[in-house]
Amino acid sequence: MMQLSLPFWEIILRAVIVYFFLFLALRLTGKRQIGESSPFDFVLLLIIADGVQNSMSGGDESLPGGLITALTLFTMDHLVGIIGFKFKRVGTLLEGRPEVLIYKGQLNEDLVRRERLTRHEIEAAMRQEGCTTYEEVELAVLENNGSITIKKKEKK
């Protein structure tokens, strides 16, 4: 229970490698996957977590091994946050940036394809703001977290 079966540095190294791999994989899946998760996405994340657990600990099921892994992951998350804050370009690379989805009623089809958004997702966000057509939208922004912010056109 208290005896490590691997050197502590190997557990740390494994956790760092898995952290960066998962961060990159989740980042490449698109913005909507982060903020607008479906039940399938949630199940996928649970399965991934279970699947990579052994690769981080190397089969070490000791209490210290689990604590070292958890501490390493919290530290990595904290360091990535600090680096993203201090270096804006790196922060943009890590977190992405908001992108214009609809401008003056015109849908950005390239962005829709690239982020694999469905019309249903876009139109649901529009309905939440009381818009029924694209022409009613002054500006819609796909945020870093996957949510869609809508600004309705002013009525004259």
Side-chain angles (χ1 to χ4, degrees):
M1 179 170 139
M2 297 299 284
Q3 188 71 23
L4 290 173
S5 63
L6 293 173
F8 77 92
W9 60 265
E10 185 175 334
I11 295 172
I12 292 171
L13 180 62
R14 287 169 172 265
V16 168
I17 291 168
V18 170
Y19 178 88
F20 279 120
F21 172 79
L22 291 176
F23 185 87
L24 181 63
L26 291 172
R27 184 74 179 93
L28 292 176
T29 62
K31 291 178 188 171
R32 74 179 180 91
Q33 296 293 328
I34 297 166
E36 305 287 326
S37 296
S38 70
F40 174 77
D41 298 327
F42 182 68
V43 169
L44 179 64
L45 286 174
L46 288 175
I47 292 169
I48 288 171
D50 187 52
V52 301
Q53 183 270 331
N54 281 334
S55 66
M56 286 189 288
S57 67
D60 187 323
E61 295 180 10
S62 68
L63 179 61
L67 295 176
I68 289 169
T69 301
L71 180 62
T72 301
L73 294 174
F74 282 120
T75 302
M76 292 303 301
D77 188 58
H78 185 71
L79 289 175
V80 166
I82 290 171
I83 291 168
F85 179 75
K86 289 191 179 240
F87 303 97
K88 298 302 179 197
R89 285 187 177 205
V90 175
T92 299
L93 180 67
L94 295 174
E95 295 177 18
R97 64 174 188 253
E99 296 189 66
V100 176
L101 184 59
I102 302 172
Y103 182 70
K104 295 188 178 185
Q106 297 298 311
L107 183 64
N108 182 342
E109 297 284 351
D110 291 336
L111 180 61
V112 171
R113 275 191 299 279
R114 187 172 71 240
E115 295 296 335
R116 295 179 299 282
L117 292 168
T118 65
R119 301 277 182 184
H120 173 72
E121 292 168 319
I122 298 166
E123 291 165 3
M126 289 169 45
R127 285 190 299 274
Q128 287 180 339
E129 294 302 318
C131 300
T132 55
T133 65
Y134 293 109
E135 290 75 28
E136 296 176 66
V137 177
E138 177 68 26
L139 180 68
V141 176
L142 180 61
E143 304 291 354
N144 303 29
N145 65 2
S147 65
I148 299 172
T149 304
I150 306 279
K151 181 179 184 285
K152 202 172 177 178
K153 280 186 180 175
E154 300 277 329
K155 292 191 178 184
K156 296 179 183 177

